[in-house]
């Protein structure tokens, strides 16, 4: 069968995930300042796009994976 990438449909940045989770948990984000990875002074190089393509997984298993928004909603609901 091979190797499969399995994730949510669509992609958002890690920063967007953090903000959506914070909002879902009613956390204050007024002091949050977002910057691009290109503008950071990190020692190691970081990828700009870490999205996965789940089409092969969906096709082989005849499953429609949820959107990233639905996945986050589900995770927040389970957490609460």
């Amino acid at each position: 069968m091979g190797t499969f990438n399995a994730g949510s449909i669509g992609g958002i940045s890690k920063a967007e995930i953090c903000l959506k989770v914070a909002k879902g948990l009613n956390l204050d984000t007024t002091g949050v300042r977002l910057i691009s990875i290109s503008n950071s002074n990190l020692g190691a190089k970081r990828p700009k796009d870490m999205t996965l393509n789940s089409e092969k997984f969906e096709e082989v298993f005849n499953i429609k994976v949820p959107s990233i928004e639905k996945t986050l909603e589900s995770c927040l609901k389970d957490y609460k």
Side-chain angles (χ1 to χ4, degrees), residues 4-15:
F4 297 92
N5 290 322
S8 298
I9 295 298
I12 61 175
S13 71
K14 291 181 228 177

Side-chain angles (χ1 to χ4, degrees), residues 39-65:
N39 297 330
S40 67
N41 292 321
L42 299 174
K45 290 185 178 183
R46 304 281 198 261
K48 289 186 180 183
D49 185 355
M50 295 177 57
T51 57
L52 298 174
N53 184 333
S54 298
E55 290 175 3
K56 181 178 176 184
F57 179 86
E58 288 183 318
E59 184 180 309
V60 169
F61 293 101
N62 196 30
I63 295 172
K64 181 73 175 162
V65 297

